[in-house]
Amino acid sequence: MINANSRQRLKRLKPRQRKKLRVGEFQELGFTVIANLKDDAAAGAHDGLLDAWLDAVEQHGVSFGGHFSDGQLDGIVFPINGVAVTAEMRSALNAWLQARTEVSDVECSELLDVWHSAW
């Protein structure tokens, strides 16, 4: 895989091209989330957790895409409307999930390029 943000490549691209390719200063970061839920929680509790999770993500001005099945929440948090995903936002959302009683364990990746990473 070619490094989309290599210095050599960015040097030959004009700002318009960098924006179109989402590289350099136009790179968009996000992080993956895998949260395993406790088996003893009722199905209604899982639905409540999902609604609360989506609200928490939305309060930060970003979005979540993924799936929720077999007692696992799995997906990626990514930027929308020009709001960048930051390390502080990642930490806050990770702490929010860990604080929930329905969740047994949480795994959040480091920030990654959502357009040019194999997540």
Side-chain angles (χ1 to χ4, degrees), residues 52-64 77-78 89 93:
W53 166 248
L54 293 174
D55 287 342
V57 169
E58 189 176 292
Q59 286 176 357
H60 286 282
V62 294
S63 189
F64 174 79
V77 175
F78 57 92
M89 188 183 301
L93 290 171

Side-chain angles (χ1 to χ4, degrees), residues 73-92:
L73 175 69
D74 184 12
I76 186 165
V77 175
F78 57 92
I80 56 172
N81 298 329
V83 176
V85 175
T86 62
E88 293 80 21
M89 188 183 301
R90 178 195 164 278
S91 297

Side-chain angles (χ1 to χ4, degrees), residues 37-42 46 101-102:
L37 308 180
K38 294 179 182 174
D39 293 333
D40 60 349
H46 289 189
T101 58
E102 305 96 331

Side-chain angles (χ1 to χ4, degrees), residues 17-55:
Q17 293 169 315
R18 291 193 304 268
K19 183 175 182 180
K20 184 175 183 176
L21 295 171
R22 293 182 170 96
V23 295
E25 67 270 31
F26 302 103
Q27 180 182 35
E28 294 181 352
L29 301 176
F31 63 94
T32 60
V33 176
I34 299 173
N36 294 310
L37 308 180
K38 294 179 182 174
D39 293 333
D40 60 349
H46 289 189
D47 291 341
L49 171 69
L50 181 59
D51 289 340
W53 166 248
L54 293 174
D55 287 342

